[in-house]
Amino acid sequence: MKLVVAVVQDQDSNRLSNALTKNDFRATKLASTGGFLRSGNTTFLIGVDDGLVPKLMDLIRDNCRAREQMVAPVSPMGGNADSYIPYPVEVEVGGATIFVLPIEQFHHF
């Protein structure tokens, strides 16, 4: 058994949730916030048999894509403001960050 923890951008959350349900994967969704851009994320907790991990990874890859987005940087809260960029910059957002953890037992009641 594995516990797959997938952190995805909110824009991809519903699409991934529907794909998981359609493919008989059960998941727990948690609202989370990214540290770099302070944008909304969804964290999925998915218990899965070892043999289904590749299929699950494919589903996540197919439904969570990276994209370019213009963001306004957060102003510095203190310290040196010499490196502060006061105009929007283009950054890559989206995609998924995935952790696959071994678990000894998995129960669903």
Side-chain angles (χ1 to χ4, degrees), residues 48-107:
V48 64
D49 289 321
D50 291 355
L52 293 175
V53 171
K55 180 179 178 181
L56 177 58
M57 298 294 273
D58 288 341
L59 275 175
I60 296 170
R61 184 179 302 111
D62 292 344
N63 290 281
C64 302
R65 66 187 193 297
R67 58 183 89 45
E68 298 292 322
Q69 179 176 322
M70 295 297 286
V71 297
V74 177
S75 62
M77 296 301 287
N80 189 350
D82 292 339
S83 63
Y84 174 66
I85 303 170
Y87 50 86
V89 293
E90 189 172 50
V91 297
E92 184 175 290
V93 298
T97 302
I98 304 167
F99 303 92
V100 180
L101 308 167
I103 56 173
E104 292 184 25
Q105 294 183 2
F106 174 75
H107 301 279

Side-chain angles (χ1 to χ4, degrees), residues 4-25:
V4 176
V5 179
V7 181
V8 303
Q9 191 179 35
D10 279 344
Q11 284 182 272
D12 298 324
S13 175
N14 286 335
R15 185 173 43 254
L16 178 58
S17 182
N18 291 336
L20 292 172
T21 301
K22 182 178 177 183
N23 287 276
D24 297 323
F25 287 103

